[in-house]
Amino acid sequence: MSEVVETGVPGDLARHPRTPASDTPVLEVDDLVVEHRDGGTGAVFRAVDQVSLRIAAGESVAVVGESGSGKTTLAMAATGLGPRGQGDVRLLGHSLSAISRTRLRRLRPEVQVVFQDPHGSLDPRQSVRSGLRELRALQPERTSWIGDADLLGRVRLAADLLDRYPHQLSGGQAQRVCIARALLMRPRLIVADEPTSGLDVSVQADVLALLRQIRTTTGAALLMISHDLAVVRSLCDVVHVMYRGRVVEAGPCDRVFGAPENDYTRELLAAMPGARWRSRR
Amino acid sequence: MKASTVRRVGGRLASLFASLLIALSLAFLLGRLSGDPTATILGPLAPPEQREALRHQLGLDLPVLVQYLDYLKGVFTGDLGQSLQFYQSNTSMIADRLPFTLQLVGAGMALALLVGIPLGVLAATREGTWWDRGASTLALLGQSVPVFWFGMMLVVLFAVKLGWLPAGQSGSPKHLILPALTMSVYPMAHIARLTRASMSDALAEPYIDSARARGISTRRVIWRHAFTNAMMPILTIVVLQTGILLSGAVAVEYVYSWPGLGQLALQAIQFRDFPLVQAIVVFGALVFVVLNLLVDVLHSIVDPRVR
Amino acid sequence: MSQLELDPVTAAPPPPRRAGRRARTSVFWLALPLAVTAVAVFVLPLTGLLPERGQDLAATRQPPAFLAGGSWAHPLGTDKLGQDLLTQFVSAGRLTIVIGLVGALVAIGPGTLLGLLAGYFRGWVDRVISILIDAQLALPFILVALAIIANRGSSLPVLFLVLALTGWAVCARVTRAATMAIRERQFVIGLRAAGASEPRIVFRHILPNLAGTIVALGTLQVGTAILVESALSFLGLGVVPPMNSWGSMLASGQDELSQAWWIAFFPGLAITALVLLVNLLGDALLTHHDPRKRRR
Ligand SMILES: Nc1ncnc2c1ncn2[C@@H]1O[C@H](COP(=O)(O)OP(=O)(O)OP(=O)(O)O)[C@@H](O)[C@H]1O
Ligand SMILES: [Mg+2]
């Protein structure tokens, strides 16, 4: 964490000066349970079951697990952006169950999300430029003063993309725009839900390199959801392994991947694309 | 029965009941808002004492809530009140006129099915050809024409110019032909469009290809496999259209002086006979709720997942 | 009357360019005659080309010019008072078009709003609105409409009230379904994370994404409004003299069917053509918006 730049100059993308770094964890989740109710049959499905999780300021945490294991549901509930569920969730020390709607809205920009499907994450009727303008208008105090062209430069996009609409962008370009939008808010936590699995293999590495660089330059914490263990290992300090809504194993990446204690983790390691890393070590 | 099924059926019943209650309340409100019915009955010059006596006799001096509850009780016991102009029970008048309207609706719907379904299947099995375009445009035309005007033009052609068929009144099967034809236009178009859409969906399913591959004849594939799967939406629309026809019969009955419910409704409106208007609206609402229930039952019989 | 069954139109990626262009072409060729008609009925009376309005008891029930006994002095013939039918036809067309447009607006306005609210907020808002939608779609509101008219008399405001009451639910149902689909899109979550308020999300982001669907629905609703109006006017419950619409011309033609069928023929033909064009245009707009969806 030594490289964190804390200038707080509004023109920069570093963390917002109003929210100085502290010992308060960015996110604390205790015994979270989230259930989905099927509208048609009324059947209840427990997507997240007794999950606890902690992300310190600037820390990078991964959640891995097979499809349907509840990763997205967990991330949405933990950031107050999706169905809440039961259990205690504290965002920057504020308990989501106790917080008022207005406070929550003020707190929200501290967390920014980047999704798997970059096109679905952009309003189809809004050009890149007008989307950025809206963000600035929404949060005049906290958004960076960095110019639009400059901002796109930070995610290695040419400025002439500013007047494009989402359908005129490639998947990789759209994902960079999503990352730029997240950066503009200077968040304390970036949630990246499989940010590369919707992209071409050739573009995946670029986007990951970008995320890694952002971590070091902005000092934001990262909650990374992924299938790809190589990605997780290169980007994250701590990993949580989810299986059927439960966290079956958690710990530092090296420990979990090097000496998995849980049978499911072992299976996952054997089956997942990033398992190659072991031979590299 | 699983708990979830009970919940869904319960929810459906509750929402139908809510619909019914909304309609009943609306009908009641309209009756109340219509001004002083004693003036309609006794004429504007009647002495106040006489009016007061009539108000008492009709129960209009009671609190509105009591009137409303009385009214609801009447509805659920089959008593829809008394007509102001005919001095008869509304229920019995509706019962007298209903068979005529049913005749019209039944004949119209039969015709609509006989023409609409083959037209839709024709369009679906020849998707993209001129057959399809012709049938689809014809169906859209059927949904664009004011049916009563179509009826008038039928009268001009077949009754006035050619003199083949009678233009009005009822009595013989000959009298039924033109009104039934007129009635059938809208549902025919609707059924044709729906058949085309659900048939072309069904024909796109993989099992159709596999049936073809197994050497089953084209006609059998179309009627036996695709059509049975496309049946449900058609059945639904037939039942619901029947209800719409019942109320849509007003204009057609007017064109042909057909002595059905629609004519009765028009007479009631012209004479400001609000109890009768209200009774007909209530009757229509009850029919609709029953038909909707019927659709649900049909669904649960045909679609095993709903059971 | 006409009860249009629409697929809930879900938000879709933009159509392939070629299909888009084809749809645009057909939209153009359908909109053109509609525009010409609209201009014609508004401009023709100003040109002084139309025959005089007045009665002429020497020339009652004249057939149109192209039939035996007709004359070009009265291209569409005359009615039982010898009034020129073309002049009536044009002024009636004006009112019909106005009623169609306003009638569609009063239906899709509240329908869209309620559909948006139900689809976005869910919960009890959705439950209440859904019950209202079900009630309206499941009940013989034409009868209720007749009762309202019987009660309040025939006037344009009452007519618009009836058109709003009979039309809003279809719009609300489609808008609700489309809103539910869009609100699950991730950009909505992103906006929430940026601190956007719910009204902003609903009206600045979801509504613009529904614009195509709403325009198509509104177009179809114009056709429905014209049909409902013509039926009501035909029964003497919509537009009544001294005002004149194509529907009320049908009403006056009804008594004359055996002597002067043409009085009713042309207005009815005009209604059919107009509604057909409007329906074709609505279909084309829906397809343009999403080629995978067909109107049922
Ligand atoms: N809105 C919903 N309604 C009902 N069930 C849902 C809903 N959303 C998710 N689920 C169910 O909850 C479970 C967890 O879903 P979730 O999206 O959190 O999984 P995931 O781990 O993110 O999967 P993936 O890797 O495919 O994105 C799944 O079984 C899913 O079917
Ligand atoms: Mg997921």
Side-chain angles (χ1 to χ4, degrees), chain A residues 34-39 43-48 63-76 83 116 193-194 197 225-227 242 244-245, chain C residues 184:
Chain A
V34 187
E35 287 173 341
H36 288 300
R37 189 184 291 277
D38 188 304
V44 170
F45 179 81
R46 188 168 277 212
V48 173
V63 176
V64 300
E66 65 186 15
S67 186
S69 54
K71 306 182 295 288
T72 302
T73 308
L74 167 66
M76 289 300 104
Q116 170 178 349
D193 189 352
E194 305 191 28
S197 51
I225 294 168
S226 183
H227 277 116
M242 275 189 89
R244 298 202 176 170
Chain C
E184 299 304 322

mmCIF file of all heavy atoms in Angstrom, chain A residues 34-39 43-48 63-76 83 116 193-194 197 225-227 242 244-245, chain C residues 184, ligand 1:
data_model
loop_
_atom_site.group_PDB
_atom_site.id
_atom_site.type_symbol
_atom_site.label_atom_id
_atom_site.label_comp_id
_atom_site.label_asym_id
_atom_site.label_seq_id
_atom_site.Cartn_x
_atom_site.Cartn_y
_atom_site.Cartn_z
ATOM 1 N N VAL A 34 -29.011 -13.284 1.920
ATOM 2 C CA VAL A 34 -29.892 -12.678 0.923
ATOM 3 C C VAL A 34 -30.698 -13.776 0.253
ATOM 4 O O VAL A 34 -30.145 -14.798 -0.171
ATOM 5 C CB VAL A 34 -29.098 -11.911 -0.154
ATOM 6 C CG1 VAL A 34 -30.056 -11.151 -1.073
ATOM 7 C CG2 VAL A 34 -28.116 -10.954 0.483
ATOM 8 N N GLU A 35 -32.008 -13.553 0.195
ATOM 9 C CA GLU A 35 -32.867 -14.556 -0.438
ATOM 10 C C GLU A 35 -33.580 -13.946 -1.622
ATOM 11 O O GLU A 35 -34.022 -12.806 -1.573
ATOM 12 C CB GLU A 35 -33.888 -15.073 0.586
ATOM 13 C CG GLU A 35 -33.215 -15.982 1.612
ATOM 14 C CD GLU A 35 -34.149 -16.382 2.734
ATOM 15 O OE1 GLU A 35 -35.159 -15.716 2.940
ATOM 16 O OE2 GLU A 35 -33.827 -17.381 3.397
ATOM 17 N N HIS A 36 -33.671 -14.702 -2.710
ATOM 18 C CA HIS A 36 -34.455 -14.284 -3.866
ATOM 19 C C HIS A 36 -35.774 -14.999 -3.824
ATOM 20 O O HIS A 36 -35.827 -16.198 -3.575
ATOM 21 C CB HIS A 36 -33.743 -14.657 -5.166
ATOM 22 C CG HIS A 36 -32.531 -13.819 -5.441
ATOM 23 N ND1 HIS A 36 -32.595 -12.468 -5.579
ATOM 24 C CD2 HIS A 36 -31.229 -14.157 -5.588
ATOM 25 C CE1 HIS A 36 -31.386 -11.997 -5.811
ATOM 26 N NE2 HIS A 36 -30.534 -12.999 -5.816
ATOM 27 N N ARG A 37 -36.833 -14.235 -4.078
ATOM 28 C CA ARG A 37 -38.138 -14.875 -4.142
ATOM 29 C C ARG A 37 -38.571 -14.902 -5.602
ATOM 30 O O ARG A 37 -38.575 -13.869 -6.276
ATOM 31 C CB ARG A 37 -39.146 -14.084 -3.320
ATOM 32 C CG ARG A 37 -40.475 -14.789 -3.151
ATOM 33 C CD ARG A 37 -41.428 -13.888 -2.421
ATOM 34 N NE ARG A 37 -41.044 -13.693 -1.035
ATOM 35 C CZ ARG A 37 -41.344 -14.540 -0.059
ATOM 36 N NH1 ARG A 37 -42.044 -15.622 -0.335
ATOM 37 N NH2 ARG A 37 -40.972 -14.321 1.179
ATOM 38 N N ASP A 38 -38.904 -16.062 -6.071
ATOM 39 C CA ASP A 38 -39.381 -16.182 -7.447
ATOM 40 C C ASP A 38 -40.791 -15.588 -7.534
ATOM 41 O O ASP A 38 -41.693 -16.014 -6.831
ATOM 42 C CB ASP A 38 -39.392 -17.658 -7.870
ATOM 43 C CG ASP A 38 -39.683 -17.790 -9.350
ATOM 44 O OD1 ASP A 38 -40.724 -17.280 -9.776
ATOM 45 O OD2 ASP A 38 -38.868 -18.391 -10.067
ATOM 46 N N GLY A 39 -40.941 -14.574 -8.396
ATOM 47 C CA GLY A 39 -42.234 -13.901 -8.496
ATOM 48 C C GLY A 39 -43.369 -14.842 -8.871
ATOM 49 O O GLY A 39 -44.484 -14.708 -8.388
ATOM 50 N N ALA A 43 -41.361 -19.355 -4.610
ATOM 51 C CA ALA A 43 -40.319 -20.146 -3.968
ATOM 52 C C ALA A 43 -39.160 -19.237 -3.534
ATOM 53 O O ALA A 43 -38.833 -18.266 -4.207
ATOM 54 C CB ALA A 43 -39.794 -21.191 -4.948
ATOM 55 N N VAL A 44 -38.575 -19.553 -2.391
ATOM 56 C CA VAL A 44 -37.489 -18.734 -1.871
ATOM 57 C C VAL A 44 -36.166 -19.444 -2.113
ATOM 58 O O VAL A 44 -36.036 -20.646 -1.881
ATOM 59 C CB VAL A 44 -37.678 -18.479 -0.371
ATOM 60 C CG1 VAL A 44 -36.435 -17.835 0.218
ATOM 61 C CG2 VAL A 44 -38.888 -17.582 -0.153
ATOM 62 N N PHE A 45 -35.198 -18.674 -2.624
ATOM 63 C CA PHE A 45 -33.890 -19.251 -2.884
ATOM 64 C C PHE A 45 -32.848 -18.447 -2.132
ATOM 65 O O PHE A 45 -32.773 -17.223 -2.277
ATOM 66 C CB PHE A 45 -33.615 -19.223 -4.392
ATOM 67 C CG PHE A 45 -32.280 -19.779 -4.751
ATOM 68 C CD1 PHE A 45 -32.096 -21.160 -4.839
ATOM 69 C CD2 PHE A 45 -31.200 -18.948 -4.983
ATOM 70 C CE1 PHE A 45 -30.867 -21.681 -5.169
ATOM 71 C CE2 PHE A 45 -29.959 -19.463 -5.301
ATOM 72 C CZ PHE A 45 -29.795 -20.838 -5.387
ATOM 73 N N ARG A 46 -32.064 -19.123 -1.331
ATOM 74 C CA ARG A 46 -31.056 -18.420 -0.530
ATOM 75 C C ARG A 46 -29.785 -18.294 -1.356
ATOM 76 O O ARG A 46 -29.024 -19.246 -1.511
ATOM 77 C CB ARG A 46 -30.815 -19.222 0.754
ATOM 78 C CG ARG A 46 -29.943 -18.495 1.739
ATOM 79 C CD ARG A 46 -29.983 -19.178 3.085
ATOM 80 N NE ARG A 46 -31.162 -18.752 3.846
ATOM 81 C CZ ARG A 46 -31.163 -18.659 5.185
ATOM 82 N NH1 ARG A 46 -30.103 -18.960 5.875
ATOM 83 N NH2 ARG A 46 -32.253 -18.278 5.806
ATOM 84 N N ALA A 47 -29.555 -17.105 -1.899
ATOM 85 C CA ALA A 47 -28.423 -16.907 -2.805
ATOM 86 C C ALA A 47 -27.146 -16.590 -2.043
ATOM 87 O O ALA A 47 -26.055 -16.902 -2.514
ATOM 88 C CB ALA A 47 -28.731 -15.781 -3.792
ATOM 89 N N VAL A 48 -27.297 -15.938 -0.881
ATOM 90 C CA VAL A 48 -26.136 -15.647 -0.044
ATOM 91 C C VAL A 48 -26.462 -16.113 1.359
ATOM 92 O O VAL A 48 -27.506 -15.782 1.909
ATOM 93 C CB VAL A 48 -25.812 -14.131 -0.041
ATOM 94 C CG1 VAL A 48 -24.719 -13.833 0.974
ATOM 95 C CG2 VAL A 48 -25.387 -13.682 -1.426
ATOM 96 N N VAL A 63 -13.615 -12.279 -4.787
ATOM 97 C CA VAL A 63 -14.595 -13.321 -4.515
ATOM 98 C C VAL A 63 -14.617 -14.215 -5.740
ATOM 99 O O VAL A 63 -14.826 -13.737 -6.857
ATOM 100 C CB VAL A 63 -15.995 -12.737 -4.254
ATOM 101 C CG1 VAL A 63 -17.003 -13.857 -4.077
ATOM 102 C CG2 VAL A 63 -15.986 -11.836 -3.030
ATOM 103 N N VAL A 64 -14.361 -15.487 -5.530
ATOM 104 C CA VAL A 64 -14.407 -16.420 -6.655
ATOM 105 C C VAL A 64 -15.446 -17.494 -6.364
ATOM 106 O O VAL A 64 -15.859 -17.686 -5.224
ATOM 107 C CB VAL A 64 -13.041 -17.091 -6.925
ATOM 108 C CG1 VAL A 64 -11.985 -16.047 -7.242
ATOM 109 C CG2 VAL A 64 -12.609 -17.935 -5.742
ATOM 110 N N GLY A 65 -15.836 -18.208 -7.396
ATOM 111 C CA GLY A 65 -16.817 -19.270 -7.221
ATOM 112 C C GLY A 65 -17.498 -19.522 -8.541
ATOM 113 O O GLY A 65 -17.427 -18.715 -9.461
ATOM 114 N N GLU A 66 -18.167 -20.682 -8.613
ATOM 115 C CA GLU A 66 -18.770 -21.033 -9.890
ATOM 116 C C GLU A 66 -19.985 -20.141 -10.178
ATOM 117 O O GLU A 66 -20.439 -19.409 -9.300
ATOM 118 C CB GLU A 66 -19.191 -22.499 -9.869
ATOM 119 C CG GLU A 66 -20.279 -22.763 -8.850
ATOM 120 C CD GLU A 66 -20.607 -24.244 -8.726
ATOM 121 O OE1 GLU A 66 -19.812 -25.049 -9.211
ATOM 122 O OE2 GLU A 66 -21.646 -24.553 -8.156
ATOM 123 N N SER A 67 -20.470 -20.232 -11.396
ATOM 124 C CA SER A 67 -21.622 -19.442 -11.799
ATOM 125 C C SER A 67 -22.829 -19.800 -10.925
ATOM 126 O O SER A 67 -23.088 -20.969 -10.662
ATOM 127 C CB SER A 67 -21.929 -19.727 -13.263
ATOM 128 O OG SER A 67 -22.937 -18.869 -13.700
ATOM 129 N N GLY A 68 -23.521 -18.779 -10.449
ATOM 130 C CA GLY A 68 -24.701 -19.011 -9.624
ATOM 131 C C GLY A 68 -24.392 -19.191 -8.156
ATOM 132 O O GLY A 68 -25.273 -19.480 -7.353
ATOM 133 N N SER A 69 -23.125 -19.023 -7.755
ATOM 134 C CA SER A 69 -22.788 -19.243 -6.355
ATOM 135 C C SER A 69 -23.146 -18.044 -5.476
ATOM 136 O O SER A 69 -23.005 -18.105 -4.265
ATOM 137 C CB SER A 69 -21.298 -19.569 -6.215
ATOM 138 O OG SER A 69 -20.525 -18.555 -6.821
ATOM 139 N N GLY A 70 -23.618 -16.948 -6.084
ATOM 140 C CA GLY A 70 -24.097 -15.826 -5.282
ATOM 141 C C GLY A 70 -23.149 -14.648 -5.206
ATOM 142 O O GLY A 70 -23.341 -13.758 -4.382
ATOM 143 N N LYS A 71 -22.156 -14.605 -6.065
ATOM 144 C CA LYS A 71 -21.151 -13.548 -5.998
ATOM 145 C C LYS A 71 -21.765 -12.170 -6.275
ATOM 146 O O LYS A 71 -21.567 -11.224 -5.514
ATOM 147 C CB LYS A 71 -20.037 -13.825 -7.021
ATOM 148 C CG LYS A 71 -19.411 -15.208 -6.878
ATOM 149 C CD LYS A 71 -18.286 -15.407 -7.867
ATOM 150 C CE LYS A 71 -18.724 -15.405 -9.319
ATOM 151 N NZ LYS A 71 -19.466 -16.613 -9.729
ATOM 152 N N THR A 72 -22.526 -12.086 -7.370
ATOM 153 C CA THR A 72 -23.119 -10.796 -7.718
ATOM 154 C C THR A 72 -24.116 -10.354 -6.654
ATOM 155 O O THR A 72 -24.134 -9.193 -6.248
ATOM 156 C CB THR A 72 -23.813 -10.900 -9.090
ATOM 157 O OG1 THR A 72 -22.850 -11.304 -10.051
ATOM 158 C CG2 THR A 72 -24.419 -9.581 -9.490
ATOM 159 N N THR A 73 -24.929 -11.289 -6.217
ATOM 160 C CA THR A 73 -25.909 -10.970 -5.182
ATOM 161 C C THR A 73 -25.216 -10.426 -3.945
ATOM 162 O O THR A 73 -25.652 -9.435 -3.357
ATOM 163 C CB THR A 73 -26.722 -12.230 -4.832
ATOM 164 O OG1 THR A 73 -27.242 -12.797 -6.034
ATOM 165 C CG2 THR A 73 -27.860 -11.893 -3.899
ATOM 166 N N LEU A 74 -24.122 -11.056 -3.562
ATOM 167 C CA LEU A 74 -23.353 -10.597 -2.408
ATOM 168 C C LEU A 74 -22.858 -9.168 -2.628
ATOM 169 O O LEU A 74 -23.025 -8.295 -1.768
ATOM 170 C CB LEU A 74 -22.165 -11.535 -2.169
ATOM 171 C CG LEU A 74 -21.090 -11.034 -1.196
ATOM 172 C CD1 LEU A 74 -21.657 -10.925 0.215
ATOM 173 C CD2 LEU A 74 -19.868 -11.942 -1.204
ATOM 174 N N ALA A 75 -22.274 -8.920 -3.789
ATOM 175 C CA ALA A 75 -21.704 -7.598 -4.049
ATOM 176 C C ALA A 75 -22.791 -6.523 -4.033
ATOM 177 O O ALA A 75 -22.602 -5.441 -3.469
ATOM 178 C CB ALA A 75 -20.983 -7.600 -5.387
ATOM 179 N N MET A 76 -23.930 -6.821 -4.620
ATOM 180 C CA MET A 76 -24.997 -5.825 -4.679
ATOM 181 C C MET A 76 -25.572 -5.542 -3.290
ATOM 182 O O MET A 76 -25.852 -4.397 -2.937
ATOM 183 C CB MET A 76 -26.108 -6.293 -5.624
ATOM 184 C CG MET A 76 -25.734 -6.288 -7.088
ATOM 185 S SD MET A 76 -25.279 -4.655 -7.706
ATOM 186 C CE MET A 76 -23.524 -4.809 -7.789
ATOM 187 N N PRO A 83 -30.888 -5.969 -3.645
ATOM 188 C CA PRO A 83 -31.684 -6.447 -2.510
ATOM 189 C C PRO A 83 -30.818 -6.535 -1.254
ATOM 190 O O PRO A 83 -29.717 -7.064 -1.310
ATOM 191 C CB PRO A 83 -32.148 -7.832 -2.965
ATOM 192 C CG PRO A 83 -31.973 -7.855 -4.440
ATOM 193 C CD PRO A 83 -30.903 -6.884 -4.778
ATOM 194 N N GLN A 116 -19.839 -6.824 -15.839
ATOM 195 C CA GLN A 116 -19.374 -7.742 -16.874
ATOM 196 C C GLN A 116 -19.742 -7.260 -18.270
ATOM 197 O O GLN A 116 -18.923 -7.277 -19.174
ATOM 198 C CB GLN A 116 -19.997 -9.113 -16.601
ATOM 199 C CG GLN A 116 -19.794 -10.101 -17.721
ATOM 200 C CD GLN A 116 -20.396 -11.448 -17.359
ATOM 201 O OE1 GLN A 116 -20.772 -11.687 -16.225
ATOM 202 N NE2 GLN A 116 -20.480 -12.325 -18.326
ATOM 203 N N ASP A 193 -17.364 -6.564 -11.170
ATOM 204 C CA ASP A 193 -18.035 -7.863 -11.275
ATOM 205 C C ASP A 193 -17.674 -8.489 -12.614
ATOM 206 O O ASP A 193 -18.263 -8.180 -13.637
ATOM 207 C CB ASP A 193 -19.540 -7.668 -11.143
ATOM 208 C CG ASP A 193 -20.269 -8.998 -11.036
ATOM 209 O OD1 ASP A 193 -19.620 -10.044 -11.217
ATOM 210 O OD2 ASP A 193 -21.481 -8.982 -10.755
ATOM 211 N N GLU A 194 -16.711 -9.384 -12.587
ATOM 212 C CA GLU A 194 -16.224 -10.033 -13.804
ATOM 213 C C GLU A 194 -16.006 -9.012 -14.915
ATOM 214 O O GLU A 194 -16.602 -9.096 -15.979
ATOM 215 C CB GLU A 194 -17.214 -11.099 -14.242
ATOM 216 C CG GLU A 194 -17.466 -12.068 -13.108
ATOM 217 C CD GLU A 194 -18.228 -13.304 -13.550
ATOM 218 O OE1 GLU A 194 -18.086 -13.660 -14.724
ATOM 219 O OE2 GLU A 194 -18.913 -13.906 -12.721
ATOM 220 N N SER A 197 -14.820 -10.718 -18.336
ATOM 221 C CA SER A 197 -15.288 -11.958 -18.970
ATOM 222 C C SER A 197 -16.184 -11.682 -20.168
ATOM 223 O O SER A 197 -16.441 -12.581 -20.956
ATOM 224 C CB SER A 197 -15.980 -12.859 -17.955
ATOM 225 O OG SER A 197 -16.947 -12.137 -17.261
ATOM 226 N N ILE A 225 -14.717 -9.580 -8.510
ATOM 227 C CA ILE A 225 -15.424 -10.838 -8.659
ATOM 228 C C ILE A 225 -14.961 -11.473 -9.949
ATOM 229 O O ILE A 225 -14.959 -10.810 -10.997
ATOM 230 C CB ILE A 225 -16.942 -10.602 -8.681
ATOM 231 C CG1 ILE A 225 -17.380 -10.077 -7.322
ATOM 232 C CG2 ILE A 225 -17.684 -11.861 -9.037
ATOM 233 C CD1 ILE A 225 -18.770 -9.550 -7.294
ATOM 234 N N SER A 226 -14.540 -12.710 -9.879
ATOM 235 C CA SER A 226 -13.964 -13.282 -11.088
ATOM 236 C C SER A 226 -14.054 -14.795 -11.112
ATOM 237 O O SER A 226 -14.220 -15.472 -10.108
ATOM 238 C CB SER A 226 -12.500 -12.867 -11.203
ATOM 239 O OG SER A 226 -11.967 -13.361 -12.403
ATOM 240 N N HIS A 227 -13.968 -15.304 -12.322
ATOM 241 C CA HIS A 227 -13.818 -16.740 -12.531
ATOM 242 C C HIS A 227 -12.356 -17.103 -12.682
ATOM 243 O O HIS A 227 -11.970 -18.250 -12.544
ATOM 244 C CB HIS A 227 -14.506 -17.140 -13.843
ATOM 245 C CG HIS A 227 -15.963 -17.355 -13.689
ATOM 246 N ND1 HIS A 227 -16.891 -16.573 -14.328
ATOM 247 C CD2 HIS A 227 -16.659 -18.254 -12.969
ATOM 248 C CE1 HIS A 227 -18.095 -16.988 -14.007
ATOM 249 N NE2 HIS A 227 -17.986 -18.001 -13.189
ATOM 250 N N MET A 242 -16.559 -18.821 -2.838
ATOM 251 C CA MET A 242 -17.987 -19.053 -2.559
ATOM 252 C C MET A 242 -18.464 -20.318 -3.232
ATOM 253 O O MET A 242 -18.060 -20.655 -4.347
ATOM 254 C CB MET A 242 -18.816 -17.873 -3.066
ATOM 255 C CG MET A 242 -18.891 -16.731 -2.076
ATOM 256 S SD MET A 242 -20.065 -15.494 -2.612
ATOM 257 C CE MET A 242 -21.576 -16.104 -1.892
ATOM 258 N N ARG A 244 -22.351 -22.235 -3.478
ATOM 259 C CA ARG A 244 -23.759 -22.287 -3.117
ATOM 260 C C ARG A 244 -24.130 -21.280 -2.031
ATOM 261 O O ARG A 244 -24.751 -21.635 -1.027
ATOM 262 C CB ARG A 244 -24.149 -23.684 -2.669
ATOM 263 C CG ARG A 244 -23.955 -24.686 -3.789
ATOM 264 C CD ARG A 244 -24.790 -25.890 -3.578
ATOM 265 N NE ARG A 244 -24.663 -26.794 -4.709
ATOM 266 C CZ ARG A 244 -25.130 -28.016 -4.708
ATOM 267 N NH1 ARG A 244 -25.739 -28.497 -3.639
ATOM 268 N NH2 ARG A 244 -25.000 -28.778 -5.774
ATOM 269 N N GLY A 245 -23.694 -20.061 -2.209
ATOM 270 C CA GLY A 245 -24.100 -18.999 -1.301
ATOM 271 C C GLY A 245 -23.245 -18.860 -0.053
ATOM 272 O O GLY A 245 -23.382 -17.897 0.677
ATOM 273 N N GLU C 184 -33.679 -3.475 -14.776
ATOM 274 C CA GLU C 184 -32.714 -4.487 -14.367
ATOM 275 C C GLU C 184 -31.370 -4.313 -15.062
ATOM 276 O O GLU C 184 -30.410 -5.006 -14.754
ATOM 277 C CB GLU C 184 -33.253 -5.893 -14.654
ATOM 278 C CG GLU C 184 -34.529 -6.253 -13.923
ATOM 279 C CD GLU C 184 -34.386 -6.100 -12.423
ATOM 280 O OE1 GLU C 184 -33.297 -6.425 -11.898
ATOM 281 O OE2 GLU C 184 -35.338 -5.639 -11.771
HETATM 282 N N1 LIG D 1 -33.502 -11.645 -9.148
HETATM 283 C C1 LIG D 1 -33.354 -12.950 -8.857
HETATM 284 N N2 LIG D 1 -34.427 -13.702 -8.600
HETATM 285 C C2 LIG D 1 -34.309 -15.000 -8.291
HETATM 286 N N3 LIG D 1 -33.158 -15.648 -8.217
HETATM 287 C C3 LIG D 1 -32.031 -14.964 -8.468
HETATM 288 C C4 LIG D 1 -32.075 -13.573 -8.806
HETATM 289 N N4 LIG D 1 -30.814 -13.155 -9.001
HETATM 290 C C5 LIG D 1 -30.024 -14.221 -8.797
HETATM 291 N N5 LIG D 1 -30.745 -15.305 -8.471
HETATM 292 C C6 LIG D 1 -30.227 -16.629 -8.149
HETATM 293 O O1 LIG D 1 -29.330 -16.487 -7.098
HETATM 294 C C7 LIG D 1 -28.196 -17.288 -7.323
HETATM 295 C C8 LIG D 1 -26.954 -16.452 -7.245
HETATM 296 O O2 LIG D 1 -26.934 -15.561 -8.312
HETATM 297 P P1 LIG D 1 -25.715 -14.586 -8.598
HETATM 298 O O3 LIG D 1 -26.072 -13.758 -9.774
HETATM 299 O O4 LIG D 1 -25.394 -13.876 -7.343
HETATM 300 O O5 LIG D 1 -24.568 -15.612 -8.969
HETATM 301 P P2 LIG D 1 -23.105 -15.335 -9.499
HETATM 302 O O6 LIG D 1 -22.210 -16.040 -8.559
HETATM 303 O O7 LIG D 1 -22.888 -13.877 -9.686
HETATM 304 O O8 LIG D 1 -23.125 -16.062 -10.877
HETATM 305 P P3 LIG D 1 -22.352 -15.681 -12.231
HETATM 306 O O9 LIG D 1 -20.935 -16.099 -12.039
HETATM 307 O O10 LIG D 1 -23.039 -16.506 -13.277
HETATM 308 O O11 LIG D 1 -22.515 -14.210 -12.440
HETATM 309 C C9 LIG D 1 -28.370 -17.950 -8.660
HETATM 310 O O12 LIG D 1 -28.756 -19.290 -8.432
HETATM 311 C C10 LIG D 1 -29.457 -17.195 -9.309
HETATM 312 O O13 LIG D 1 -30.266 -18.064 -10.056
#
